[in-house]
Amino acid sequence: MNPDKSQSSSGADFIVRLDKVNKFFGDLHVLKDIDLAVSPGEVVVIIGASGSGKSTLIRCINGLEEFQQGHIEVDGNELLPHGKAGRALQKIRTEVGMVFQQFNLFPHLSVLDNVTLAPMKVRGWSRADATETADRLLERVGISDQAAKHPGQLSGGQQQRVALARALAMEPRLMLFDEPTSALDPEMIGEVLDAMRELAREGMTMLIVTHEMGFAREVADRVIFIHQGEIAEQGPPEEVLDHPRHPPTQQFLSRVLKH
Amino acid sequence: MDVTFQFDWQAAFASIPFLLKGIPYTLLISFGGLAIGFLIGILFGLLRISPIAWLKVPAVAYIEIFRGTPVLVQVLFIFYGLPQLLGSPINALVAGIAAIAVNAGAYISEIVRGGVQSIERGQREAGLSLGLSRLQTFRYIIWPQAFRRMIPPLGNQGIISIKDTSLFSVIGVGELVRQGQVYIATTFNALEVYLMVALLYLAITLTLSFALRQLERKGLVGQ
């Protein structure tokens, strides 16, 4: 952790804090007593087997999943169990961007309109301001010449970079990534990771669920290993990835890194 | 073969001006009823998938009742039955429009429900994660996509409802079939006149089919 990084607006030394969060799908205990604090500017990579609860964990942070016990604080806004948040939830979603495994671009809108929709409707920006920001972001992710096209006309890697630009257009304080490269053809993974790498370099706070261990090693300040709904191990990437202490982590990494 | 009957083309063409007087009624009942039915369909289709359980009950009841009874019975009920309840007669044209509205409305409710439910969950999640409210997510993201998928089944329903209006000759609205019956009563050219009636229906439904195909094509270009 980097306690000496810049302070969040609430004056606390974290931008997200989960406190004894428990989630159940029926009888299934998906998240068990999750405690987690992320400092501003920190890049946290979450790894674990499929079904371990890692996607569910980050989806709780912007309220796409409800949890049953505990509490979550995002930049001074509080989420309570059973989706009780009201206005705080929309405030959180305004400040937290998300990139999905399946991109989830809006197929009926042009690339440009995908990026300008939320700033105009949520932040109340004029079309001119929103377009200016969108142009800048699309340029940055290398899609500026495709702004008039529709998502269906782009490759997977291009779509995911548009999705990144769309999330960044809201000027989020925190970015969540839910397996952003898992649906991509191998030759397109690099271009998306490059864009994320640059974002990390600029100091964005990021929570990333991924299977890209090389990327994790290079970009993460901290790696968290989730096993059966619990944080089994966490620390700097060189510790967790190269010298895992817990048998589940060792087993998982030996399976992932072997091929 | 001994042909005892000659198709009388002249009689067929002669009936057309009289039959055409029925077209405005047929169109008015069809499209008036469908327009109201579309509004009903949006309302009940959305209530049907509302997260609030007690809002679903009236929607399900409405859909099952009006989809499960014949449109002929519905129009007879409205035209002959309701006046006994209200104590005043109902205009036949109004009764016809109302019958198409409630009948098509039930089917369109299901079309709306199917269209909205067919949109991938990730679309809603992407909208919400950007900070859009649930209403904004529906209005700007879910509905435009759902509506595009609804165009083909809506076209089907339109064609079905146009043909259903032919039943309303029983309440005496001067629509296409009624005009044909009146004409035949004096000339007895049933074969010629009903053929012309059929062709006029076909002209209306083919025009609609063609227009919808253009609309779909336009919609697909944007995808």
Side-chain angles (χ1 to χ4, degrees), chain A residues 59 90 93 105 107-108 121 150, chain B residues 123 125 129 131 140 145 222:
Chain A
R59 287 164 57 85
Q90 207 178 336
R93 285 171 172 166
L105 291 179
H108 61 300
K121 300 301 175 192
H150 278 71
Chain B
Q123 291 290 307
E125 292 184 347
S129 78
Y140 298 113
Q145 296 183 61

Side-chain angles (χ1 to χ4, degrees), chain B:
Chain B
M1 203 169 82
D2 182 26
V3 178
T4 57
F5 187 88
Q6 283 282 316
F7 188 88
D8 186 348
W9 283 107
Q10 216 169 347
F13 291 130
S15 71
I16 288 178
F18 190 79
L19 295 180
L20 285 178
K21 288 184 196 162
I23 297 269
Y25 289 99
T26 293
L27 292 180
L28 187 61
I29 297 169
S30 302
F31 289 101
L34 283 167
I36 300 168
F38 185 54
L39 297 179
I40 294 174
I42 293 174
L43 177 67
F44 283 92
L46 296 183
L47 288 181
R48 174 87 173 70
I49 46 178
S50 156
I52 303 161
W54 59 266
L55 283 177
K56 288 181 196 175
V57 177
V60 172
Y62 164 76
I63 293 165
E64 293 300 339
I65 288 169
F66 287 95
R67 204 177 50 168
T69 54
V71 68
L72 181 59
V73 175
Q74 290 164 9
V75 81
L76 291 172
F77 181 87
I78 293 169
F79 186 67
Y80 294 111
L82 275 190
Q84 295 192 343
L85 214 66
L86 302 173
S88 64
I90 290 179
N91 176 288
L93 186 65
V94 172
I97 291 173
I100 291 296
V102 294
N103 184 264
Y107 286 95
I108 294 172
S109 298
E110 287 292 273
I111 293 171
V112 169
R113 177 181 71 86
V116 170
Q117 285 182 333
S118 77
I119 304 303
E120 300 69 25
R121 198 182 58 166
Q123 291 290 307
R124 182 168 184 274
E125 292 184 347
L128 294 178
S129 78
L130 286 165
L132 295 166
S133 68
R134 285 180 359 182
L135 191 66
Q136 285 175 321
T137 301
F138 181 78
R139 182 175 159 198
Y140 298 113
I141 296 165
I142 308 296
W143 180 255
Q145 296 183 61
F147 183 71
R148 260 177 218 187
R149 294 190 189 176
M150 283 158 50
I151 292 174
L154 282 175
N156 261 339
Q157 183 55 44
I159 288 169
I160 290 168
S161 290
I162 288 168
K163 294 186 297 178
D164 279 349
T165 63
S166 65
L167 297 165
F168 299 172
S169 55
V170 296
I171 58 168
V173 201
E175 47 71 62
L176 202 39
V177 168
R178 177 75 181 169
Q179 288 297 102
Q181 290 171 336
V182 170
Y183 192 80
I184 292 163
T186 55
T187 65
F188 307 107
N189 301 106
L191 181 69
E192 290 82 359
V193 175
Y194 281 134
L195 181 67
M196 289 300 115
V197 168
L199 290 176
L200 286 171
Y201 276 110
L202 199 57
I204 298 172
T205 54
L206 284 179
T207 306
L208 182 63
S209 288
F210 179 76
L212 285 165
R213 210 165 302 148
Q214 297 304 310
L215 193 64
E216 256 181 82
R217 198 167 298 163
K218 224 175 93 185
L220 284 176
V221 172
Q223 293 281 355

